[in-house]
């Protein structure tokens, strides 16, 4: 889906243009999340989708890079992980025939409303399907990239704009109209930078000061955000203001983390299967 790039190449592009154990117990990880999981708390400030979009937005301009063609599918992957962390969905348990993450179906655990319109719309789609689908298929369905014309109704439309509006309602973005010669475009500049600075600091510290070299000792939402930011091609925005030595260290450690085998890592810890399955889906794309 996307790759970690070297600083020099990305900086040059920016100057040229601003436009663009296989046991049943260990394997049932997501299914072992409780319905009252703390990740379902109403105290959560932002969803994973909101965090990814916020990281990808240019602060003053209020839009993502015109070169970024990964963020749409990245946001849909974020929806699946957010629903899993909130105990609404899980991967089917391991069986003799279905061992690999991308072969296992996404199962609906609860259709209880989450309070987020995109999450609840996705839950309705999942409840309406006649048969369960895999993580990769759901990402394709939600983005409208499915080859099956009878399943286009599962596409989530205007996701980027709807996530941006949620951030506006939370007082983090504002809404403006900008003229681009031939057309007007609604943009969402950052009006309160505190939350974005918090996200950037959290990810930087996770790769530098708090680096543990073990994804299973990381906070699940931090691990998920790293995976999604990478898959959405916005992760370099997090490290761009670091000194060269720390930048190189952060990028190398992130690469080491994301190069791990999702199949192996998903079997090691409960509650992270969906995160690794989404990464596996993007790796295959």
């Amino acid at each position: 889906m996307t790759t970690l790039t070297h600083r020099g190449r990305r900086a040059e592009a920016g100057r040229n243009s601003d436009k663009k154990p296989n046991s049943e117990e260990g394997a049932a990880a997501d299914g072992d999340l409780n319905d009252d999981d703390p990740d379902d708390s109403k105290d959560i400030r932002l969803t994973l989708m909101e965090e990814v979009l916020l990281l990808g937005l240019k602060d003053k301009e209020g839009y993502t890079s015109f070169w970024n063609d990964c963020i749409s599918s990245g946001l849909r992957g974020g929806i699946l992980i957010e629903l899993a962390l909130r105990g609404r969905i899980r991967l089917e348990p391991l069986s003799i025939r279905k061992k690999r993450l991308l072969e296992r179906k996404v199962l609906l655990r609860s259709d209880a409303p989450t309070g987020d319109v995109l999450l609840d719309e996705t839950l309705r789609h999942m409840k309406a399907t006649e048969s369960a689908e895999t993580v990769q298929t759901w990402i394709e369905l939600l983005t409208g990239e499915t080859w099956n014309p009878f399943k286009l109704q599962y596409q989530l439309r205007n996701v980027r704009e709807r996530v941006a509006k949620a951030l506006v309602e939370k007082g983090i973005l504002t809404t403006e109209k900008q003229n681009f010669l031939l057309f007007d475009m609604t943009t969402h500049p950052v009006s309160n930078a505190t939350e974005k600075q918090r996200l950037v600091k959290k990810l930087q510290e996770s790769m530098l000061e708090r680096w543990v070299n073990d994804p299973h000792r990381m906070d699940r939402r931090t691990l998920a955000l790293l995976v999604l930011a990478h898959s959405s091609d916005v992760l370099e925005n997090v490290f761009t203001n670091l000194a060269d030595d720390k930048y190189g260290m952060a990028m190398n450690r992130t690469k080491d983390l994301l190069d791990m085998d999702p199949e192996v890592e998903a079997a090691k810890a409960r509650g992270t299967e969906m995160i690794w399955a989404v990464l596996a889906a993007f790796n295959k794309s």
Side-chain angles (χ1 to χ4, degrees):
M1 175 63 65
T2 182
T3 56
L4 292 173
T5 58
H6 292 293
R7 188 173 207 164
R9 289 206 303 269
R10 180 59 60 88
E12 181 179 352
R15 287 193 296 269
N16 292 335
S17 173
D18 286 332
K19 312 270 185 199
K20 203 163 175 161
N22 287 338
S23 67
E24 286 292 329
E25 179 180 349
D30 290 343
D32 289 325
L33 291 174
N34 296 323
D35 287 331
D36 58 350
D37 190 87
D39 284 333
D40 197 24
S41 169
K42 297 183 184 300
D43 293 333
I44 293 176
R45 174 64 170 160
L46 301 179
T47 65
L48 289 169
M49 304 85 74
E50 291 165 351
E51 291 179 338
V52 169
L53 182 63
L54 186 56
L55 291 175
L57 284 175
K58 300 174 184 288
D59 290 8
K60 295 181 179 180
E61 293 87 344
Y63 52 81
T64 58
S65 170
F66 292 138
W67 297 113
N68 190 333
D69 58 357
C70 303
I71 196 167
S72 292
S73 53
L75 291 173
R76 273 70 172 188
I79 290 173
L80 297 181
I81 295 177
E82 188 75 52
L83 286 172
L85 292 179
R86 295 190 184 207
R88 299 308 195 276
I89 63 175
R90 66 179 178 92
L91 292 182
E92 64 179 337
L94 281 174
S95 68
I96 295 177
R97 292 187 301 105
K98 294 181 179 179
K99 290 187 176 182
R100 302 191 65 81
L101 287 171
L102 296 185
E103 294 174 352
R104 293 158 63 187
K105 307 293 186 180
V106 177
L107 303 181
L108 183 65
R109 298 186 65 229
S110 169
D111 63 350
T114 65
D116 180 273
V117 291
L118 286 171
L119 297 179
D120 292 344
E121 184 176 340
T122 303
L123 286 176
R124 289 194 294 272
H125 287 327
M126 290 183 170
K127 187 176 181 179
T129 55
E130 295 181 359
S131 59
E133 304 287 358
T134 64
V135 167
Q136 188 165 20
T137 298
W138 268 117
I139 291 175
E140 293 171 354
L141 291 175
L142 296 176
T143 55
E145 295 177 354
T146 177
W147 59 269
N148 189 338
F150 296 104
K151 293 191 174 183
L152 289 177
Q153 71 268 26
Y154 298 127
Q155 179 182 2
L156 294 177
R157 300 182 183 276
N158 304 316
V159 169
R160 211 175 307 191
E161 181 63 21
R162 291 160 73 182
V163 172
K165 287 183 177 179
L167 288 169
V168 171
E169 292 175 358
K170 293 179 179 181
I172 298 171
L173 303 181
T174 188
T175 301
E176 294 181 359
K177 287 282 187 181
Q178 289 194 30
N179 181 268
F180 289 84
L181 296 180
L182 298 178
F183 61 94
D184 290 331
M185 185 174 80
T186 300
T187 61
H188 299 284
V190 176
S191 58
N192 183 347
T194 302
E195 194 68 21
K196 185 169 185 177
Q197 292 169 355
R198 181 190 67 82
L199 288 176
V200 170
K201 181 180 179 181
K202 179 176 75 170
L203 294 182
Q204 288 181 353
E205 289 182 345
S206 70
M207 291 293 103
L208 296 171
E209 287 84 356
R210 299 181 181 178
W211 176 243
V212 293
N213 198 28
D214 181 357
H216 306 294
R217 293 171 59 193
M218 297 177 66
D219 170 73
R220 287 185 303 175
R221 295 189 72 87
T222 300
L223 174 62
L225 185 55
L226 283 167
V227 167
L228 293 169
H230 162 64
S231 302
S232 303
D233 201 17
V234 301
L235 187 55
E236 190 171 345
N237 296 355
V238 174
F239 304 130
T240 190
N241 67 340
L242 292 173
D244 287 348
D245 57 338
K246 290 189 175 182
Y247 175 89
M249 183 183 297
M251 293 297 283
N252 288 334
R253 287 175 173 176
T254 302
K255 184 178 185 301
D256 290 343
L257 177 70
L258 297 174
D259 281 346
M260 291 179 175
D261 187 341
E263 301 289 343
V264 174
E265 301 308 317
K268 290 181 179 179
R270 298 185 177 189
T272 63
E273 274 195 325
M274 190 65 70
I275 299 173
W276 293 108
V278 167
L279 177 60
F282 285 128
N283 287 345
K284 187 176 180 180
S285 299

